[in-house]
């Protein structure tokens, strides 16, 4: 508040009166009055002094009146300015409250959406884990099938279409398990990123809520408030204080990063759905291919076993016929040997004829011819007997081979149909369905 102007007062000039010494002889009375006379003013001086005092009084009154007028004007202007400044500050605080409320609502909305998205992603991660657990049974089934088929006997221990399909199925399940494990790790990382960004947004939202309460309390302050006081140190700006632009940009960046994480989470959930669906379809198609290969191979084994059994029946019949043939040949040889004995005996007895009676007559030639003829037939019958015995031996070996092959085929059929296909009943119907259980 300005001070009124003050006119400095200056003392009136004093006039020094010189006393003219009297020529009269000095007396004691005159000497005493001389000093008293010099302390008094002259009449003009007295008038001038009165006029000066009056002027000073008039000037001081005018100055005081001017100061009072200026004071009243200053009071009115200060009151108007204070009201205007307080109203502007209140309006600014109100606008600031709207801005804080806007960002607070946006942050709260983003927090709720990000939390819901995180829960959905966690559910998808649980589906991945269940799908991964569900692949253990198919993998164990495939490994068991391969191990069972290793117990096939050497004639049937071949790399057939069933084994190729089983190996393909094992590789497919391993690839699916690796893919599910990598996707689980990716989902875990994304859930962690979502929660970190949600925490950042929650910290920003908490600061906004606290700031909103502070500014709302500041809006409620007025001159009649009882809890207001002087805080001169709060007038200065803090060194770490943000600007309105950086303040808004901070919340905008938090929301933007939250949106990015939410979009990445949505895309990952869609990818997880596609992975589970594709894996389920691949497993289903491969399972159908393996089942078809098993059915086809079992039919081939059944046909081969049936043909072998038919051949075995024929071989058994041939063995019976060959055994009968050998019996007949042996009987024929014995019969021919009996005739040969008779002829030999006749020739032997005729060799004892005396002298000239030892003649080469017609009976002698006929007996020799008979012996030669019987000898040829006996030798032929013996050769045929040896051939028949060799044929019988070959037929017996063939029978043993056929029986062994039939046993091998029966073992292969048992392994493929009873062990493998029976165990594949435990194969899960659908991996996608299993991921929900």
């Amino acid at each position: 508040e300005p001070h009124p102007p003050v006119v400095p007062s200056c003392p009136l000039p004093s006039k020094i009166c010189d006393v003219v010494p009297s020529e009269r002889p000095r007396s004691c009375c005159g000497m005493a009055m001389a000093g008293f006379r010099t302390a008094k003013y002259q009449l003009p001086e007295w008038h001038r002094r009165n006029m000066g005092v009056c002027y000073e009084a008039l000037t001081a009154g005018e100055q005081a009146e001017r100061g009072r007028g200026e004071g009243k004007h200053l009071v009115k202007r200060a009151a108007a300015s204070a009201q205007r400044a307080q109203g502007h500050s209140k309006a600014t605080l109100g606008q600031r409250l709207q801005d804080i409320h806007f960002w607070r609502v946006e942050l709260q909305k983003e927090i709720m959406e990000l939390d819901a998205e995180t829960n959905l992603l966690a559910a998808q991660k649980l589906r991945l884990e269940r799908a991964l657990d569900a692949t253990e049974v198919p993998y164990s089934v495939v490994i068991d099938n391969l191990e069972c088929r290793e117990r096939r006997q050497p004639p049937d221990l071949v790399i057939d279409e069933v084994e190729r399909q089983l190996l393909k199925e094992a590789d497919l399940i391993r690839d699916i398990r690796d893919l599910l494990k990598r996707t689980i790790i990716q989902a875990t990382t994304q859930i962690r990123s979502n929660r970190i960004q949600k925490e950042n947004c929650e910290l920003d939202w908490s600061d906004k809520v606290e700031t909103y309460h502070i500014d709302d309390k500041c809006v409620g302050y007025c001159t009649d408030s009882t809890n207001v006081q002087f805080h001169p140190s709060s007038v200065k700006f803090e060194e770490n204080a943000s600007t309105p632009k950086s303040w808004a940009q901070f919340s905008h960046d938090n929301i933007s990063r939250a949106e990015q994480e939410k979009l990445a989470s949505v895309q990952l959930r869609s990818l997880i759905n596609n992975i589970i669906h594709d894996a389920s379809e691949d497993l289903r198609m491969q399972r159908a291919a393996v089942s078809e290969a098993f059915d086809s191979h079992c039919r081939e084994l059944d046909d081969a076993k049936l043909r072998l059994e038919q051949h075995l029946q024929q071989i058994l019949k041939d063995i019976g016929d060959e055994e009968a043939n050998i019996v007949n040949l042996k009987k024929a040889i014995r019969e021919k040997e009996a005739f040969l004995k008779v002829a030999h005996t006749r020739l032997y007895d005729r060799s004892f004829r005396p002298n000239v009676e030892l003649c080469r007559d017609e009976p002698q030639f006929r007996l020799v011819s008979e012996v030669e003829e019987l000898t040829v037939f006996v030798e032929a019958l013996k050769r045929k007997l040896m051939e028949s015995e060799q044929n019988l031996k070959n037929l017996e070996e063939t029978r043993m081979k056929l029986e062994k092959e039939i046993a091998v085929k029966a073992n292969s059929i048992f392994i493929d149909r009873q062990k493998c296909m029976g165990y594949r009943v435990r194969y899960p119907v659908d991996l996608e369905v299993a991921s929900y259980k």
Side-chain angles (χ1 to χ4, degrees), residues 121-252:
L121 185 58
Q124 292 293 84
K125 176 175 173 285
L126 182 60
R127 286 188 63 199
L128 285 173
E129 293 173 349
R130 289 174 176 172
L132 180 61
D133 294 337
T135 57
E136 292 181 358
V137 173
Y139 189 70
S140 64
V141 169
V142 173
I143 298 301
D144 182 77
N145 291 160
L146 291 172
E147 291 177 352
C148 286
R149 288 176 62 83
E150 288 295 325
R151 295 194 290 270
R152 292 177 298 171
Q153 297 180 5
D156 282 358
L157 191 60
V158 295
I159 302 177
D160 52 3
E161 182 64 22
V162 176
E163 185 158 351
R164 283 192 290 269
Q165 291 296 334
L166 284 173
L167 292 174
K168 183 178 179 182
E169 187 176 27
D171 293 336
L172 175 63
I173 294 175
R174 280 194 292 268
D175 293 340
I176 289 175
R177 287 176 63 84
D178 293 339
L179 178 60
L180 292 177
K181 289 177 182 178
R182 292 196 303 270
T183 310
I184 288 174
I185 295 174
Q186 187 177 358
T188 303
T189 304
Q190 186 61 48
I191 289 173
R192 186 182 300 112
S193 300
N194 288 354
R195 288 173 177 171
I196 290 174
Q197 193 55 44
K198 175 175 171 286
E199 183 179 356
N200 293 334
C201 291
E202 285 176 344
L203 290 175
D204 193 7
W205 176 83
S206 178
D207 293 342
K208 293 290 187 296
V209 170
E210 184 177 359
T211 303
Y212 186 87
H213 291 327
I214 291 174
D215 286 352
D216 185 56
K217 183 173 67 174
C218 291
V219 169
Y221 284 148
C222 63
T223 56
D224 296 332
S225 299
T226 57
N227 54 346
V228 295
Q229 57 183 348
F230 290 106
H231 296 282
S233 60
S234 63
V235 178
K236 64 180 180 179
F237 289 103
E238 298 293 337
E239 294 181 358
N240 57 349
S242 61
T243 62
K245 184 177 180 181
S246 63
W247 174 81
Q249 188 65 35
F250 180 77
S251 297
H252 180 271

Side-chain angles (χ1 to χ4, degrees), residues 50 52 92 110 116 152 160 162 168 176 194 217 220 251 272 276-277 279 283 290 390 396 426:
N50 289 335
T92 306
E110 198 64 34
R152 292 177 298 171
D160 52 3
V162 176
K168 183 178 179 182
I176 289 175
N194 288 354
K217 183 173 67 174
S251 297
I272 290 173
I276 295 178
H277 179 267
L283 280 180
V290 173
Q390 184 63 38
E396 289 292 342
R426 298 177 55 189

Side-chain angles (χ1 to χ4, degrees), residues 212-314:
Y212 186 87
H213 291 327
I214 291 174
D215 286 352
D216 185 56
K217 183 173 67 174
C218 291
V219 169
Y221 284 148
C222 63
T223 56
D224 296 332
S225 299
T226 57
N227 54 346
V228 295
Q229 57 183 348
F230 290 106
H231 296 282
S233 60
S234 63
V235 178
K236 64 180 180 179
F237 289 103
E238 298 293 337
E239 294 181 358
N240 57 349
S242 61
T243 62
K245 184 177 180 181
S246 63
W247 174 81
Q249 188 65 35
F250 180 77
S251 297
H252 180 271
D253 292 341
N254 282 333
I255 294 176
S256 178
R257 286 191 293 267
E259 287 288 338
Q260 292 175 0
E261 296 297 339
K262 185 171 66 175
L263 180 61
S265 180
V266 171
Q267 293 175 352
L268 183 58
R269 283 197 297 111
S270 177
L271 178 63
I272 290 173
N273 279 329
N274 294 333
I275 287 175
I276 295 178
H277 179 267
D278 294 342
S280 178
E281 286 296 317
D282 293 341
L283 280 180
R284 184 185 62 80
M285 294 177 62
Q286 186 59 33
R287 180 194 177 193
V290 173
S291 299
E292 179 63 27
F294 266 117
D295 291 336
S296 177
H297 188 62
C298 287
R299 287 194 299 269
E300 291 177 356
L301 289 175
D302 288 335
D303 293 340
K305 182 173 177 288
L306 180 60
R307 287 195 299 269
L308 290 174
E309 289 174 347
Q310 292 174 353
H311 285 295
L312 179 61
Q313 292 178 359
Q314 184 63 38

Side-chain angles (χ1 to χ4, degrees), residues 59-77:
T59 303
E62 292 177 353
Q63 187 175 359
E65 185 178 0
R66 185 170 59 253
R68 289 192 300 273
E70 292 176 354
K72 291 179 180 180
H73 178 68
L74 182 61
V75 167
K76 291 181 180 180
R77 189 175 63 181

Side-chain angles (χ1 to χ4, degrees), residues 55-110:
Y55 178 74
E56 289 180 2
L58 181 61
T59 303
E62 292 177 353
Q63 187 175 359
E65 185 178 0
R66 185 170 59 253
R68 289 192 300 273
E70 292 176 354
K72 291 179 180 180
H73 178 68
L74 182 61
V75 167
K76 291 181 180 180
R77 189 175 63 181
S81 178
Q83 290 291 337
R84 184 171 60 253
Q86 191 179 71
H88 183 67
S89 298
K90 189 173 182 179
T92 306
L93 285 172
Q95 182 63 38
R96 182 65 173 178
L97 285 175
Q98 293 180 4
D99 296 340
I100 295 174
H101 177 71
F102 169 77
W103 288 112
R104 185 183 66 178
V105 171
E106 291 296 322
L107 286 169
Q108 186 175 3
K109 176 183 176 182
E110 198 64 34

